[in-house]
Amino acid sequence: MRRSTLRTAVAVVTTGLALTACGSGDSGSGGGGDSEAATAASAEDLGGMEELIEAAQAEGELNVIALPRDWANYGEMLDTFSEKYDITINEATPDASSQDEINAVTSQKGQDRAPDVLDVGTSFAQQAAAQDLLAPYKVETWDDIPENQRDPEGRWYNDYGGFISIGCNASVIAECPTSIADLLDPQYAGKVALNGNPTQAAAAFSGVWAASLANGGDLDDIGPGIDFFKKVKDAGNFNPVEVTPATVQSGETPLAIDWDYVNAGLTETLAEAGVEWQVAVPTDGIFGSYYSQAINKFAPHPAAARLWQEFLYSDEGQNIWLKGGSRPVRLPAMEEEGTADADALAGLPEVEGDVEFPTQEQQTAAQKVVADRWNAEISG
């Protein structure tokens, strides 16, 4: 077997999966108002990191959205940032989708509760940039982020990535699947769940693409992935329930198709509840991808939003993601510099085979196919 780190970003697109954001019911310019931080494109624009920290602490709060604490070690990330800088973090709708995040930016524009920062699938970040919803900002470690993993203007940049995997509750499943093909086995009746709807959630969309690669499809044809899930549904194996730690613990979702770092992050928590949770990157459908970070152009706490980005892309922040089983975007540079957490790096799930990444055109075409077919054939 070969342990692989993601060194190539998934290309981004300007159109998405039913990505029309909600209209704003508020014409305000955002809580940042005329704050100097609201237009700062780097820490230097505010005089340096010390001045940025001071401005962020004066605001005293940071609004985040769609950051489950058991996702990529975000619990530790949130707590460490809050304690380090004495800033209160307001956590909204942790299980929201990427589309929900963009909707919140538009619908809550001008409100104090609006999200300051976003963590979304890369195509969703590109869509938000096209809608002029994101503030350009380049962190101090900008040069460590490969050019093909960032917007040249700094409106978004990739943060952490992983591989589609199958999580299995071995406490109730006699034989855990290790391939996409296994999911058609009658023993998994009513047990196969995706993390979200692929027309709205990047993880679920990537799960469909992994299924396509496992069933004769390629990066030019995601259709076999939808065909496969239609077979899973027709066999009575598909479970439309969205996966959470609670649904796993209750036995409602004993098989979960999700990112390897999300599935791996459940292992310890579930073990404490007496659940043996096993994680496997499927041998027949290896698909990897990144998520992206961005700052809401109308952030009510613009300085705190920028400080959050600086923390995430520091060695400390990147290693927190690495400890959560994900592959931070600066990992190649950190490995070269010797600043990556060696124990966390050694604990990454092993991947057998080569990783496939779509181009911009391929992802655009795949999203259109999923948008046209999924709800009608699978969830409809």
Side-chain angles (χ1 to χ4, degrees), residues 17 19 71 96-99 119-124 164 194-209 257-259 261 287 289-292 363 367:
L17 305 165
L19 298 185
W71 176 288
S97 69
S98 294
Q99 183 61 56
D119 179 336
V120 294
T122 305
S123 61
F124 292 83
I164 287 298
L194 276 169
N195 188 355
N197 185 311
T199 67
Q200 297 287 322
F205 172 68
S206 298
V208 174
W209 217 331
I257 300 174
D258 206 340
W259 298 117
Y261 54 86
F287 188 90
S289 183
Y290 285 91
Y291 278 80
S292 300
Q363 183 140 335
Q367 289 180 316

Side-chain angles (χ1 to χ4, degrees), residues 26-211:
D26 196 316
S27 60
S29 60
D34 297 325
S35 166
E36 183 179 0
T39 57
S42 68
E44 287 71 22
D45 286 351
L46 291 173
M49 279 298 297
E50 289 187 9
E51 287 75 9
L52 174 59
I53 292 171
E54 184 176 319
Q57 290 177 330
E59 292 173 350
E61 295 182 69
L62 175 74
N63 296 345
V64 302
I65 185 173
L67 300 184
R69 286 181 157 265
D70 54 4
W71 176 288
N73 205 21
Y74 258 121
E76 181 176 345
M77 189 77 79
L78 293 162
D79 292 342
T80 302
F81 176 83
S82 181
E83 294 169 7
K84 184 182 182 76
Y85 296 112
D86 193 24
I87 291 174
T88 299
I89 298 181
N90 305 310
E91 303 173 42
T93 52
D95 294 321
S97 69
S98 294
Q99 183 61 56
D100 292 334
E101 295 185 62
I102 296 176
N103 292 348
V105 170
T106 57
S107 66
Q108 297 172 13
K109 180 180 175 182
Q111 301 178 25
D112 289 341
R113 67 190 182 98
D116 290 306
V117 290
L118 305 175
D119 179 336
V120 294
T122 305
S123 61
F124 292 83
Q126 181 69 10
Q127 183 229 348
Q131 291 181 246
D132 197 25
L133 300 177
L134 308 180
Y137 183 81
K138 296 182 179 180
V139 293
E140 289 193 325
T141 55
W142 175 258
D143 290 341
D144 284 350
I145 304 172
E147 289 185 6
N148 65 346
Q149 299 187 37
R150 66 191 191 193
D151 171 62
E153 297 179 30
R155 293 171 298 179
W156 59 262
Y157 19 100
N158 289 344
D159 43 20
Y160 57 88
F163 297 94
I164 287 298
S165 68
I166 304 171
C168 173
N169 184 345
S171 299
V172 298
I173 300 287
E175 183 179 358
C176 287
T178 59
S179 70
I180 297 292
D182 289 343
L183 301 177
L184 287 172
D185 193 305
Q187 69 176 305
Y188 305 131
K191 295 179 170 61
V192 180
L194 276 169
N195 188 355
N197 185 311
T199 67
Q200 297 287 322
F205 172 68
S206 298
V208 174
W209 217 331

